[in-house]
Amino acid sequence: MKNKISQLLKTFVITLFVAFIATNQDNYVYNFFDKLGYENEILKKTVLSALIALFIGLLSILISYLWSKIKSNFKKMKITFNTKLNGSKRATIKFEPKDYEYSQEEIEIEISLEPGGWISNLLIKKLGISLDVYFNPELLDIYFLDKWDTDTDGIFRLSDRKISINLLEKMEIRGRNFKGTTHKLKEQFEIKPIRVKNAETTLDLFITSKRSHRIGRLIDKYFLTTEFDSLKVTCKGE
């Protein structure tokens, strides 16, 4: 349908140009043939139509090329969120008590980034776009496996109610290989329910910005595409 409409528009424009130019006896094509001694009106109009069609075709190709270049600069960044348990991807984790206590589990959060266009990458970096992983602090205790929870200089940051992952803050986005490479951000955590009881919760995800949540939502809508399975945590009582 799109190609048919495009072809109809081209035909309309060509016909319109021919109609206007053909009635103007001072146009360059007619003058050229007059100098050569050709007075055949059909020949003049045929050549004029062909030249206009060629010009419009070349202009259409140029516009399509420029538009594709512009669109590539706004290409969305793709984010894939995975949680792993013992090295395998998991979307659920179940805790069962032993002697009225749960054993802690080690989970790994892995973020895969496939860079988008130049403008998309720049906005995500400059606006401090983060992927926030929320959990229920009344049900779960979560700690870094191998560093202090008060560490605020890393890509992963842990607060009372969320794990924040700053997507591009620590990355150099100008490298030649940045756009053609899938980048992985990983961190390991210890997770353990606070008390023994039947309960369920989910590690939920939200895109935000250090400037404002509204900016985060706009970036999420227009410059990001995300794939994730939220980790569902189930606790069994005695």
Side-chain angles (χ1 to χ4, degrees), residues 96-233:
E96 296 185 1
K98 183 177 181 181
D99 297 330
Y100 298 98
E101 187 176 358
Y102 295 112
S103 298
Q104 66 188 24
E105 295 283 357
E106 295 179 5
I107 65 168
E108 180 180 75
I109 291 179
E110 179 185 86
I111 310 295
S112 296
L113 303 177
E114 294 182 19
W118 175 76
I119 293 177
S120 300
N121 298 333
L122 184 64
L123 287 174
I124 290 169
K125 183 177 179 69
K126 295 299 183 182
L127 295 175
I129 302 300
S130 296
L131 175 61
D132 285 356
V133 183
Y134 288 89
F135 57 88
N136 185 349
E138 296 181 358
L139 182 61
L140 297 176
D141 276 334
I142 297 181
Y143 306 98
F144 285 114
L145 180 63
D146 55 3
K147 67 177 183 178
W148 296 106
D149 297 336
T150 54
D151 183 3
T152 59
D153 294 327
I155 295 175
F156 289 78
R157 298 164 188 173
L158 183 62
S159 63
D160 290 337
R161 296 189 61 85
K162 67 178 183 287
I163 301 168
S164 293
I165 305 117
N166 195 299
L167 297 178
L168 293 181
E169 183 181 47
K170 302 296 182 178
M171 289 190 186
E172 178 54 68
I173 66 174
R174 295 179 297 178
R176 292 184 178 181
N177 297 321
F178 175 77
K179 288 186 63 175
T181 304
T182 298
H183 305 270
K184 293 186 182 294
L185 310 175
K186 300 180 181 180
E187 190 60 77
Q188 292 180 311
F189 298 88
E190 291 181 350
I191 179 171
K192 182 179 179 180
I194 295 173
R195 61 181 64 85
V196 175
K197 65 176 182 178
N198 289 312
E200 285 187 351
T201 189
T202 301
L203 269 64
D204 206 356
L205 302 178
F206 185 74
I207 301 293
T208 187
S209 166
K210 64 182 179 182
R211 303 291 180 87
S212 74
H213 292 317
R214 181 175 296 179
I215 290 176
R217 288 195 295 270
L218 289 174
I219 294 295
D220 184 23
K221 182 177 181 180
Y222 295 108
F223 298 99
L224 288 174
T225 178
T226 54
E227 293 182 4
F228 61 85
D229 291 319
S230 297
L231 181 66
K232 182 179 179 181
V233 180

Side-chain angles (χ1 to χ4, degrees), residues 59-73:
L59 184 62
S60 177
I61 292 172
L62 177 62
I63 291 173
S64 297
Y65 172 77
L66 293 176
W67 179 243
S68 67
K69 289 296 183 181
I70 292 172
K71 285 177 63 178
S72 68
N73 286 326

